């Protein structure tokens, strides 16, 4: 979307996140992934309910009540931030407005462009609310949200920081990831564990404040130490890296000659292809061990 233009309803209906393509062995083991943005899109039902609760309690407690714009929050921001100068008063953007900003990033960041950007995001947010259900918006948001670097979405964040899937997140783990949304670098649990722990506990307090947890549950969870199972897998990690590189070159050529339903050629790095090969992961593992 060029300049400050607002996307049409047709464009909003056709939203599709860039998704990594995955390479599988003959015995259905994931060998590796090709991507520009490290993202795996998942359905709403594949997200732990506790992550949804943490998100709403922390970012947009009236999410189910508004139509894209929370006038109470906007009023608070105007009075406390603009008139009283309290920078810690919190933001006025709803999840729908944040989603609009994630999908269609701001073009200009100069001070006089802020009102235009905000108004554009409000218009897009209202359009999104008229097209998608609340569950669909939450699904889109948690698949779209940046989690630092080229990492996107709660599924890949769950796998990187806790070596688990988004539907298996524990409450304290979900609180860490949702806490990162405020500042993905400052609250990165690997880089700044103490800061991340404090932010996690803020999220747990918010969940208790809005009755997603009892005060006793929140206190118990806050006593759990921050425990990561960090796994950062690069393009060269995993089995059969030379095989996958040769395959990548062939797939790039294949994708350029194959057309999607809209007439556009496939893109190996963004279209979420599933590639099934004849290689056997068990035999490959034995071979690599023997070579070492």
């Amino acid at each position: 979307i060029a300049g400050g233009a607002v996307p049409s309803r047709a464009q909003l209906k056709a939203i599709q996140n860039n998704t990594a393509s995955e390479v599988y062995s003959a015995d259905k083991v994931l060998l590796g992934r090709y991507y520009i943005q490290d993202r795996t899109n998942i359905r709403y039902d594949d997200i732990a309910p506790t992550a949804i609760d943490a998100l709403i309690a922390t970012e947009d407690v009236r999410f189910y009540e508004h139509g894209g714009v929370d006038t109470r929050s906007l009023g608070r921001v105007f009075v406390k931030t603009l008139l009283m100068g309290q920078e810690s008063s919190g933001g006025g953007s709803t999840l729908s407005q944040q989603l609009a900003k994630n999908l269609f990033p701001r073009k200009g960041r100069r001070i006089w462009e802020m009102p235009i950007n905000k108004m554009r995001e409000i218009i897009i947010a209202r359009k999104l609310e008229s097209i998608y259900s609340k569950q669909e918006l939450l699904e889109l948001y948690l698949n779209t949200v940046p989690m630092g670097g080229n990492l996107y979405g709660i599924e890949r964040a769950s796998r990187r920081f806790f070596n688990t899937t988004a539907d298996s997140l524990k409450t304290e783990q979900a609180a860490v990831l949702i806490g990162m949304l405020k500042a993905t670098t400052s609250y990165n649990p690997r880089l700044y564990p103490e800061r991340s722990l404090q932010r996690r506990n803020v999220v747990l307090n918010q969940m208790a404040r809005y009755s997603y947890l009892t005060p006793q549950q929140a206190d118990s969870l806050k006593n759990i130490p921050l425990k990561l199972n960090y796994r950062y897998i690069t393009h060269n990690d995993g089995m059969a890296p030379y095989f996958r590189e040769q395959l990548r070159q062939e797939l790039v050529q294949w994708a350029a000659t194959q057309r999607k339903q809209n007439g556009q050629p496939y893109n190996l790095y963004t279209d979420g292809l599933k590639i099934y090969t004849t290689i056997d992961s068990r035999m490959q593992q034995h071979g690599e061990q023997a070579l070492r």
Side-chain angles (χ1 to χ4, degrees), residues 91-145:
S93 293
T94 64
L95 287 176
S96 304
Q97 288 171 261
Q98 292 178 38
L99 175 59
K101 185 167 66 173
N102 291 339
L103 291 171
F104 307 101
R106 294 173 178 177
K107 303 298 180 182
R109 298 185 178 276
R110 287 166 291 196
I111 187 73
W112 60 84
E113 293 175 300
M114 184 65 70
I116 298 173
N117 286 328
K118 277 288 186 185
M119 184 56 63
R120 179 172 179 261
E121 287 159 13
I122 286 173
I123 295 170
I124 296 173
R126 288 199 177 278
K127 282 190 174 185
L128 287 168
E129 291 266 356
S130 70
I131 294 170
Y132 296 99
S133 69
K134 291 291 187 180
Q135 283 193 359
E136 288 170 336
L137 288 171
L138 289 168
E139 176 185 304
L140 196 54
Y141 180 93
L142 285 170
N143 280 322
T144 302
V145 67

Side-chain angles (χ1 to χ4, degrees), residues 70-108:
D70 187 345
T71 52
R72 286 171 59 182
S73 291
L74 282 178
R76 183 196 68 234
V77 170
F78 178 77
V79 173
K80 291 189 176 182
T81 304
L82 299 182
L83 299 184
M84 299 173 64
Q86 297 179 7
E87 293 185 4
S88 61
S89 63
S93 293
T94 64
L95 287 176
S96 304
Q97 288 171 261
Q98 292 178 38
L99 175 59
K101 185 167 66 173
N102 291 339
L103 291 171
F104 307 101
R106 294 173 178 177
K107 303 298 180 182

Side-chain angles (χ1 to χ4, degrees), residues 89-254:
S89 63
S93 293
T94 64
L95 287 176
S96 304
Q97 288 171 261
Q98 292 178 38
L99 175 59
K101 185 167 66 173
N102 291 339
L103 291 171
F104 307 101
R106 294 173 178 177
K107 303 298 180 182
R109 298 185 178 276
R110 287 166 291 196
I111 187 73
W112 60 84
E113 293 175 300
M114 184 65 70
I116 298 173
N117 286 328
K118 277 288 186 185
M119 184 56 63
R120 179 172 179 261
E121 287 159 13
I122 286 173
I123 295 170
I124 296 173
R126 288 199 177 278
K127 282 190 174 185
L128 287 168
E129 291 266 356
S130 70
I131 294 170
Y132 296 99
S133 69
K134 291 291 187 180
Q135 283 193 359
E136 288 170 336
L137 288 171
L138 289 168
E139 176 185 304
L140 196 54
Y141 180 93
L142 285 170
N143 280 322
T144 302
V145 67
M147 301 298 291
N150 68 343
L151 185 68
Y152 290 82
I154 195 166
E155 174 69 12
R156 293 306 300 166
S158 300
R159 291 183 180 274
R160 178 171 295 186
F161 291 105
F162 298 109
N163 192 22
T164 189
T165 54
D167 61 352
S168 300
L169 282 170
K170 298 177 181 177
T171 302
E172 67 273 16
Q173 294 172 334
V176 169
L177 299 183
I178 297 303
M180 287 178 65
L181 303 183
K182 184 177 177 68
T184 54
T185 300
S186 297
Y187 296 111
N188 183 303
R190 186 180 67 89
L191 301 177
Y192 305 104
E194 290 186 10
R195 205 181 293 167
S196 174
L197 183 65
Q198 293 172 356
R199 179 63 184 164
R200 179 201 74 175
N201 291 346
V202 168
V203 174
L204 293 172
N205 284 336
Q206 287 293 102
M207 295 178 73
R209 178 181 178 184
Y210 294 110
S211 301
Y212 291 106
L213 295 173
T214 66
Q216 294 77 16
Q217 287 174 321
D219 288 341
S220 177
L221 290 168
K222 285 190 290 183
N223 287 325
I224 297 175
L226 181 65
K227 295 173 64 176
L228 300 182
N229 187 353
Y230 188 78
R231 294 189 69 205
Y232 180 35
I233 300 175
T234 70
H235 292 287
N236 296 322
D237 292 327
M239 283 185 284
Y242 294 103
F243 171 81
R244 284 185 281 117
E245 173 56 20
Q246 177 62 34
L247 186 63
R248 183 191 67 80
Q249 296 176 38
E250 295 181 18
L251 286 167
V252 167
Q253 295 179 4
W254 175 90

Side-chain angles (χ1 to χ4, degrees), residues 18-21 33-39 148-152 160 232 235 267-272:
N18 291 346
T19 309
S21 293
R33 307 166 77 243
Y34 305 117
Y35 57 83
I36 297 171
Q37 295 180 339
D38 188 1
R39 183 203 322 269
N150 68 343
L151 185 68
Y152 290 82
R160 178 171 295 186
Y232 180 35
H235 292 287
N267 186 316
L268 176 63
Y269 304 103
T270 63
D271 283 340

